[in-house]
Amino acid sequence: MRKAGLTSPRDDLTEAVRYYEAQELDKADEFIKKALSKNPAGNEERVLAMAIRAAKRDCDISAVSEFDNDFQKCLQDFDEREEEFLYQTLGFVLSNYFKETTRALRCLNRAYQISGNFIILETLALTYYQHSIRDAFIEEGSDKIDPARIHTDAIEKARDALLRVFSAA
């Protein structure tokens, strides 16, 4: 069926997600463009396209801001699985590519509330850790940290989240 060109927009989206998760960004980009051509208003497609562009370092934080402005409107027509995907992807992109840990934590916490998925909980733990040390660097671009400037409440939340992941493993 794929060889005959009879794929649905969901198939292209699924392939884009698969390649994105494997960090094969050029292939992911190819499939997300196909999915967007078939469903240009699709929120999942738009969020994944933004995530791929962020991973390729092909956009700035303004690409995420478009979703902040109309995010609640986006979510009105989604089921919980799709809502979880949107929050998880936005949280991952905000944390890993733009170092916007406060906004990322809001998204990831919501994704975890929806599903209880331990993969999200693991990402949440890492984001809490990143949040705890974001102000602790002694100088910009340095890897030296002043322990007195670490946010202890965030590091405790990171520890608690990891303990929940380990206890479930």
Side-chain angles (χ1 to χ4, degrees), residues 20 25 45-57 59 64 67 89-90 92-93 97:
Y20 173 72
L25 300 177
E45 288 86 347
R46 290 174 44 229
V47 168
L48 186 60
M50 179 268 307
I52 292 167
R53 287 178 47 221
K56 291 175 80 172
R57 306 285 194 237
C59 67
V64 176
F67 292 99
T89 304
L90 280 174
F92 182 82
V93 167
Y97 300 122

Side-chain angles (χ1 to χ4, degrees), residues 85-102:
F85 173 78
L86 291 172
Y87 278 117
Q88 179 184 9
T89 304
L90 280 174
F92 182 82
V93 167
L94 284 165
S95 172
N96 291 340
Y97 300 122
F98 298 114
K99 306 303 180 215
E100 291 278 338
T101 56
T102 303

